[in-house]
Amino acid sequence: MAPTRPPLPAESAASPQAHETIARRQSSRESAARTYARSLPVVPVRARGLTIEGADGRRYLDCVSGAGTLALGHNHPVVLEAIRRVLDSGAPLHALDLATPVEEAFTGELFATLPRGLADSARIRFCGPADADAREAAVRLVRAATGRDGLLASSGSSHAMPGSGAAWETRAVRLPFPQDYRCPFGVGGEAGEKLSVRWTETLLDDTGGAGDPAGLIVEPVQDEGGVLPAPDGWLRSMREITTARAIPLIADETQTGAGRTGAFWAVEHSGIVPDVMVLSKAIGGSLPLAVVVHHEDLGTGRSAEPEGTFRGNQLAMAAGTATLRHIRENALAERAALLGRRMLDRLRPLAREHDCVGDLRGRGLMIGIEFVDPGAEEPTAHDTGSCRPGAAVPGAYDPGLCGELDLAALGAGPDHPAAGIGPSPASPALAAAVQRECLRRGLIVALGGRDSCVVRLLPPLTITDEQTEAVLDRLSDAIATVSRTAHRIPHPRTPKEEGVASPAGTP
C-alpha cells in the first residue's frame, strides 16, 4: 500500500479544520523554542503587501513584517519578478563565494546606498544568512584587525544578550544606553547622554577598566530592546571616542537598515560613518541574507576563514537587489519618516488618555508603546531603570566615575526621575493583553523591551495612507479596551523582581 502523501498547501488551506490541525501539529512536532507562534496563533496561507490571509479565513494587517525582513511587505511584485528571472535563467541557485552576475548586481546596488564616507573605501564580506552570523563575522573581523579580544556593547541591545553569538562569547562589557523614560542614571535628556559618554571614557581610560577592546557595537535603534532610538549626539560622541582610541565602531543595522527609520541607514540621522556595518533582514528582500560591510583597512588581517556554506544564496541576492533599488528609486525612506511622524502624532493622545501607556517612541516606521502598571506601589530601581547617587545597583551613578555634573543645567528638572519621580513598573501583562486585542481586530503586532512590556510596530515601507489609518484605528481601540479592564488583568512579578535570571534572550 502506497504511503499517504501529506496534503498540498492549497488543499490544506481549503480545509475548514486547517487552522486547528496545522497549529496543533506544529505544537506537537516543534520544540519549545517557538516564539511568535505562542502569542500569534495565525496560520498564514496567502499574503500580499500588508495583508495576511489565515487558514481560518480571516484577514490580518501585518505590522511585524517578518521582524523587519519584509521591507516591501509580502510578495511584492518587484521581488517576485526578480526571483522568477533567476529561476527561469538557469543560473545556479547556490554559488558559495564565486563571482556571479547576480552577486555583482547586488553588491553594486548595496554600495550605491551606503553612507558616502564608507562606500568610497568599503569591502563586503558575505557570511551565513542570519543576522547572528553577520554579528559573529563582524566580531571576528575586528578581533583579527586589532589583535584584541574585548568588546563593548550597550545594555538592552540584541547582541548583549546570552545566546547572541560570538559578540557575547568575547569579554563583552555593557555600557549604559541613554534613554529618557528609563534612564540608567535616572536623569534622562542631555544629562543622561553626557553621563553615558563620561562613563564610557572613564571605563576605557582607567586602569582596570575595559582596556583596549576590539570594537564597540551599537544599534542606532534598539528594536528588540524596546524601540529605543540612540540619541544622535550620543552616537556622535561614541564615534569621537572610538576614533580617538583607534577602536572600530560597528553599527548593527540588521533591524534599522533599508529605509526603516526614515533614512536609508539609521546612522545617517546622526551623520556618523561607522567602520563596520552589520546588515541582514530587509537586504535579502524576504529571503535569508546577511553581510558585513567594512572599511578596507580592517580586511588586511589574518581573518580569512570561510564565513559559512550558504553565503552564496543567489535568489536572496536577486530579491535584495530588487528591494534596495525599489526603496531608493521610490524614496520609501523619506516616506517612512513622514508616516512615522504621522503615526506618532496620532498615537500621542493615548498616553494622556490612558495611564497604562507609559511611553511612546520610535523613528520612522519603528514604533514602540511601553505599557506600565499605574496602580503599582513605589517603583524600584529595576522598574525605573534609575541609578541614583548611592544606589546599590550595578551601574549606579558614581560621581567618582562619571564626575560631578550640574544635572538641572543639563535638563534634569524637578519632575525628572533624578528628583525622585520615576516611571511606573513595566507591565508585560498589559502589553500582552493589547497584543491579543489587536489580533482579535485583525492586527498583528510584536512585543519586546523590558520583560516584553513594549508593543512594537514594524509595518512595511509600502503601507498606504488608508492602511495606516486602519492600523491606528485598530490599535487605538485595542488599547482603549485593555485600559478599561486593566484593573482585572493580573500583573505577575517579573523574573528579575523575583531575584532570578530571565530566560536567555529575554531583553
Side-chain angles (χ1 to χ4, degrees):
M1 180 177 179
T4 303
R5 66 167 178 82
L8 297 174
E11 296 170 345
S12 298
S15 169
Q17 292 80 32
H19 178 91
E20 291 80 3
T21 300
I22 295 173
R24 184 174 63 253
R25 285 176 177 169
Q26 182 194 44
S27 179
S28 64
R29 292 171 175 173
E30 295 188 21
S31 74
R34 302 187 317 280
T35 54
Y36 291 97
R38 292 180 179 276
S39 57
L40 297 170
V42 178
V43 179
V45 293
R46 276 177 290 273
R48 176 60 65 95
L50 179 71
T51 305
I52 286 177
E53 182 179 336
D56 56 2
R58 296 188 62 197
R59 296 169 70 86
Y60 301 87
L61 301 181
D62 179 13
C63 281
V64 175
S65 299
T69 300
L70 303 168
L72 303 184
H74 294 273
N75 294 322
H76 194 281
V78 300
V79 174
L80 297 182
E81 176 58 27
I83 293 172
R84 289 190 188 101
R85 279 199 304 268
V86 174
L87 292 173
D88 294 342
S89 71
L93 300 184
H94 186 283
L96 295 173
D97 59 1
L98 302 178
T100 68
V102 174
E103 180 192 306
E104 165 65 18
F106 172 78
T107 302
E109 184 60 41
L110 178 63
F111 275 40
T113 70
L114 292 176
R116 190 48 48 200
L118 179 60
D120 295 339
S121 58
R123 295 291 184 270
I124 188 169
R125 176 173 294 201
F126 290 90
C127 54
D131 49 356
D133 297 323
R135 292 189 192 106
E136 288 191 25
V139 171
R140 287 198 297 270
L141 171 72
V142 296
R143 290 180 69 187
T146 63
R148 305 190 289 259
D149 290 332
L151 190 79
L152 299 180
S154 297
S155 59
S157 61
S158 58
H159 34 69
M161 299 175 191
S164 58
W168 176 259
E169 294 165 4
T170 61
R171 187 170 58 87
V173 176
R174 300 191 191 194
L175 303 175
F177 186 82
Q179 56 162 306
D180 283 337
Y181 191 62
R182 298 189 188 275
C183 173
F185 302 101
V187 295
E190 186 181 354
E193 292 180 35
K194 288 184 177 294
L195 283 169
S196 179
V197 170
R198 190 167 296 184
W199 180 293
T200 304
E201 290 175 326
T202 305
L203 188 68
L204 288 170
D205 296 340
D206 274 10
T207 301
D212 295 322
L216 166 61
I217 183 167
V218 297
E219 288 177 298
V221 180
Q222 289 189 356
D223 181 48
E224 294 181 10
V227 193
L228 297 170
D232 292 339
W234 178 78
L235 280 176
R236 287 190 285 268
S237 295
M238 292 298 104
R239 176 69 282 188
E240 293 171 2
I241 289 172
T242 53
T243 299
R245 294 162 179 78
I247 300 171
L249 178 63
I250 306 169
D252 183 347
E253 293 253 18
T254 57
Q255 293 270 29
T256 56
R260 169 63 57 186
T261 66
F264 211 101
W265 306 107
V267 292
E268 294 176 308
H269 292 291
S270 63
I272 69 167
V273 178
D275 302 295
V276 182
M277 293 179 68
V278 179
L279 310 178
S280 185
K281 295 186 183 286
I283 67 165
S286 75
L287 298 180
L289 184 64
V291 303
V292 175
V293 175
H294 60 88
H295 192 280
E296 59 186 356
D297 291 347
L298 293 175
T300 58
R302 53 184 168 79
S303 179
E305 70 272 14
E307 294 289 0
T309 302
F310 292 101
R311 61 192 185 277
N313 187 331
Q314 302 294 289
L315 289 180
M317 292 179 192
T321 302
T323 297
L324 296 174
R325 182 181 298 124
H326 190 80
I327 294 171
R328 177 176 57 83
E329 292 180 347
N330 291 276
L332 293 187
E334 292 81 356
R335 177 164 171 76
L338 175 66
L339 285 179
R341 288 192 296 268
R342 185 183 303 169
M343 293 177 76
L344 287 174
D345 288 344
R346 168 82 182 276
L347 291 170
R348 281 194 179 96
L350 292 174
R352 296 190 292 269
E353 297 170 8
H354 308 293
D355 56 4
C356 64
V357 177
D359 193 32
L360 172 68
R361 52 191 180 247
R363 198 154 210 175
L365 290 178
M366 296 181 75
I367 294 175
I369 307 171
E370 181 166 338
F371 288 87
V372 298
D373 180 7
E377 298 177 359
E378 178 71 17
T380 64
H382 165 69
D383 297 317
T384 63
S386 174
C387 301
R388 301 190 181 93
V393 294
Y397 165 43
D398 181 356
L401 178 64
C402 300
E404 295 289 351
L405 293 178
D406 185 347
L407 299 180
L410 291 177
D415 294 330
H416 212 276
I421 301 174
S424 299
S427 179
L430 286 179
V434 170
Q435 185 186 44
R436 290 192 297 270
E437 289 296 327
C438 284
L439 193 64
R440 288 181 57 193
R441 290 159 175 78
L443 176 63
I444 299 175
V445 297
L447 299 180
R450 178 182 296 261
D451 302 311
S452 298
C453 71
V454 178
V455 169
R456 299 156 51 208
L457 282 80
L458 293 166
L461 309 188
T462 52
I463 186 173
T464 66
D465 291 344
E466 182 180 7
Q467 289 173 331
T468 300
E469 291 302 313
V471 167
L472 294 173
D473 287 343
R474 297 181 193 191
L475 176 62
S476 299
D477 189 53
I479 293 174
T481 298
V482 171
S483 180
R484 288 193 299 268
T485 59
H487 63 284
R488 298 201 298 267
I489 298 175
H491 297 268
R493 292 170 63 84
T494 67
K496 293 177 184 176
E497 291 173 311
E498 295 288 359
V500 299
S502 296
T506 300

